[in-house]
Amino acid sequence: MKIAFLGLGHMGLPMAKNLAAAGHEVTGFDVMPAAVDTARGAGLTTAESGTDAATGADVVITMFQTGAQVLDAYRGTDGAAGLLEVAASGALFIDCSTIAVDEARAAHALAEAAGHRSLDAPVSGGVVGAENATLAFMVGGTDEDFEAARPLLEAMGRRVVHCGGAGLGQAAKVCNNMILAVSQIAVAEAFVLGERLGLSHQALFDVASNASGQCWALTTNCPVPGPVPTSPANRDYQPGFAGALMNKDLGLAEHAISATGVEARMGMLAREMYAQYAAGEGASQDFSGIINTIRADSA
Ligand code: NAD
């Protein structure tokens, strides 16, 4: 089975390396020459272009930043052939980028119209998860295509969940990250309120982590130093999951909220707060650092 892996950035390169290490025949490409050089230096087979990598490929995996990049690469731009045109007939297209649900559905439709199969398979777990092959994959597409992709996804991740039909992997990702954003803000507000009331961080942690306030934003990503030694708060909010990425994902949530008409006041407020956070130095800090903005904005 011939696999093309396109997009060798922070996430894509370690994912492609893990696929190759599991014994698959992988050819990588990135539009940034430096990324191709790094990949080659890391022992990955690389191609001269995306369509070179994908010509005759049975599986085409993409790990780009945006939906527009995915759709452009599938279709080709400026009259040039796209990935759909050159892949083997009936190839399986797996897009692991985090993009909008409607963009993912458009990618599925293009693949299907070209006689191919396709899955949306965004991930969580970050660069560390990509390097250690412990990513979680949220997958949208048919049962058959999911089962075909499963061994490949399992070579790059630890949890692989079939969320439903086309676009529903992206739907799961956007919903999960909206919960995460809202809960991280709620935990931060509670710590600042506790500070003002004279409550120690440790005491609040000991109570809430064993009570109904328990959540990942508290017990893993605790926004104050001390209670959870591995949380980003203990290393000056080095990410982790950067504010810029949370802001990007909340932009996709906002898009989905307005497309569906859902009354998501908390999600929209989180979207607004993280847009402000990411406009400043929060862009490169962990998203739990929003506690510092909340503290600074408190009278
Ligand atoms: P990145 O910018 O490091 O990598 C994306 C790469 O895609 C870039 O190197 C870019 O040059 C390349 N690219 C764009 N168009 C291309 C094309 N047509 N052909 C070949 N290469 C092309 O981004 P990343 O951090 O690796 O993230 C990738 C995706 O994963 C994003 O959608 C992001 O939201 C999502 N994600 C990232 C993280 C994270 O922690 N970084 C975690 C979960 C999900």
Side-chain angles (χ1 to χ4, degrees):
M1 185 166 54
K2 197 177 157 200
I3 303 175
F5 200 116
L6 307 178
L8 303 171
H10 292 98
M11 299 291 289
L13 177 57
M15 290 167 70
K17 278 167 59 182
N18 284 331
L19 257 189
H24 296 288
E25 188 193 331
V26 181
T27 304
F29 177 73
D30 194 291
V31 288
M32 303 266 289
V36 177
D37 289 347
T38 306
R40 204 179 303 113
L44 198 73
T45 303
T46 58
E48 293 300 310
S49 70
T51 45
D52 267 5
T55 296
D58 307 295
V59 177
V60 179
I61 302 177
T62 43
M63 190 46 159
F64 302 157
Q65 274 170 349
T66 68
Q69 289 170 340
V70 175
L71 294 171
D72 281 352
Y74 276 24
R75 284 187 291 237
T77 50
D78 301 326
L83 303 173
L84 295 170
E85 196 175 319
V86 300
S89 118
L92 179 59
F93 279 71
I94 307 175
D95 178 42
C96 298
S97 325
T98 301
I99 66 176
V101 175
D102 50 12
E103 291 170 324
R105 289 184 173 147
H108 276 271
L110 285 173
E112 198 179 318
H116 298 303
R117 300 170 293 144
S118 95
L119 295 169
D120 51 295
V123 302
S124 68
V127 176
V128 172
E131 283 168 351
N132 298 334
T134 55
L135 292 170
F137 284 89
M138 295 148 266
V139 187
T142 66
D143 292 348
E144 199 185 1
D145 295 345
F146 174 73
E147 287 309 328
R150 188 200 282 275
L152 304 179
L153 302 181
E154 284 176 347
M156 299 183 282
R158 189 160 52 193
R159 253 179 336 120
V160 179
V161 180
H162 188 198
C163 301
L168 294 179
Q170 298 291 353
K173 167 98 183 163
V174 83
C175 291
N176 178 70
N177 277 18
M178 188 173 81
I179 297 172
L180 176 60
V182 170
S183 60
Q184 193 70 65
I185 291 168
V187 169
E189 288 179 352
F191 272 104
V192 176
L193 181 60
E195 288 167 7
R196 297 293 165 106
L197 296 171
L199 184 62
S200 76
H201 291 160
Q202 191 64 49
L204 175 55
F205 180 84
D206 289 346
V207 170
S209 63
N210 289 295
S212 42
Q214 190 275 335
C215 59
W216 186 91
L218 174 71
T219 56
T220 300
N221 218 43
C222 187
V224 293
V228 179
T230 49
S231 79
N234 297 280
R235 45 174 204 272
D236 223 5
Y237 300 95
Q238 288 309 299
F241 187 50
L245 289 174
M246 177 52 92
N247 185 42
K248 174 197 165 178
D249 289 0
L250 288 171
L252 299 176
E254 180 180 15
H255 181 75
I257 288 165
S258 70
T260 54
V262 170
E263 177 70 7
R265 289 193 216 175
M266 305 295 284
M268 288 304 290
L269 197 50
R271 192 308 183 247
E272 194 185 308
M273 289 174 73
Y274 274 109
Q276 277 170 19
Y277 181 66
E281 57 185 22
S284 56
Q285 290 183 348
D286 188 75
F287 76 113
S288 62
I290 200 157
I291 191 171
N292 294 321
T293 311
I294 293 165
R295 197 182 281 118
D297 288 348
S298 300

